[in-house]
Amino acid sequence: RNLVKEVKSVQARGRRVYMRADIEPDKSVSGGTWYQDGEFAVQWIESLRERCLEFLSRTQRPVPLQEIHFFIQQQPGPSIPTQEEVRHILRSLELEEEVVSKSTPQGQLVYALRKKGPSGVGFDIFAGRLPKIVTQSQEERPGLVVPCLMCPLQGECRIGGQVNPESCEYLTSWLEAPVPGAAAVPLENRAAAAK
């Protein structure tokens, strides 16, 4: 008779949920567009992301959400996402620095592919927020790395032992190295200056 149908619920995975056959389940039960048969639709979401990137690379200009949504509606798939759901997809691409959005003078939000640098890597929005000491390579800041931290004999090094800090040539050369931007102080005078 087909009066009742079983629906997979995203909230009650272990329980059977039944409803009238002529009624579509609510998004709270079915999970909406992002779920298929009660499972999160990873491949579907990834295909939507790829379609958005494909359309933006084809157009090579800033595009409003309506055009992107229309393009996605023309493509076959298990369901047709709403304009709001396409906006969520574009936001995820924006957070991954694949896409950039901006407002036009008329107040409309448009999307475009983020430009890549000569190396093929996009602009890092967080690069300017890190202190220079973090972004420098070890060769650019040699005085900041204590040789003991990278020594292969670190586990055997002990005061009075065969391997010890008193006779370590690496530690001595590190201590005698001039500190950039500081006046040179002989090793013997450093102990006196510290008191």
Side-chain angles (χ1 to χ4, degrees):
R1 289 186 180 197
N2 291 333
L3 296 176
V4 178
K5 67 179 176 182
E6 184 177 351
V7 179
K8 289 190 178 181
S9 172
V10 294
Q11 294 176 344
R13 293 185 187 268
R15 292 181 20 208
R16 292 183 180 186
V17 178
Y18 296 96
M19 62 186 335
R20 281 182 35 186
D22 60 335
I23 298 176
E24 281 299 313
D26 184 64
K27 285 185 181 182
S28 63
V29 175
S30 68
T33 306
W34 308 134
Y35 286 83
Q36 294 168 348
D37 298 325
E39 298 294 322
F40 191 65
V42 177
Q43 286 87 9
W44 170 235
I45 293 169
E46 194 55 40
S47 72
L48 289 173
R49 291 167 48 88
E50 289 169 7
R51 287 183 206 167
C52 288
L53 291 172
E54 174 192 344
F55 182 70
L56 290 171
S57 66
R58 253 194 236 172
T59 58
Q60 294 293 315
R61 63 176 172 82
V63 181
L65 176 62
Q66 294 81 6
E67 287 185 38
I68 300 169
H69 182 245
F70 181 76
F71 174 77
I72 288 176
Q73 284 179 323
Q74 306 307 311
Q75 309 294 319
S79 63
I80 298 173
T82 64
Q83 200 166 4
E84 183 68 14
E85 291 167 336
V86 173
R87 189 180 65 74
H88 290 296
I89 292 287
L90 289 166
R91 180 65 180 145
S92 74
L93 290 168
E94 191 175 1
L95 290 171
E96 292 178 6
E97 299 180 4
E98 296 282 336
V99 171
V100 64
S101 68
K102 66 177 186 173
S103 292
T104 63
Q106 297 80 23
Q108 184 180 30
L109 195 62
V110 292
Y111 297 89
L113 284 178
R114 183 175 289 277
K115 290 189 168 75
K116 304 285 184 186
S119 64
V121 178
F123 175 73
D124 185 1
I125 62 173
F126 295 108
R129 297 183 184 164
L130 294 174
K132 191 172 184 178
I133 193 72
V134 174
T135 58
Q136 287 177 331
S137 69
Q138 184 178 337
E139 291 77 30
E140 295 173 19
R141 51 186 167 96
L144 294 177
V145 180
V146 181
C148 302
L149 297 176
M150 297 186 318
C151 182
L153 301 173
Q154 181 182 16
E156 300 172 30
C157 186
R158 287 177 185 60
I159 295 176
Q162 188 174 4
V163 178
N164 60 62
E166 294 91 12
S167 63
C168 179
E169 61 186 69
Y170 299 116
L171 188 58
T172 304
S173 65
W174 178 74
L175 288 170
E176 291 176 348
V179 176
V185 178
L187 187 59
E188 299 81 37
N189 296 347
R190 287 188 193 180
K195 291 179 183 175

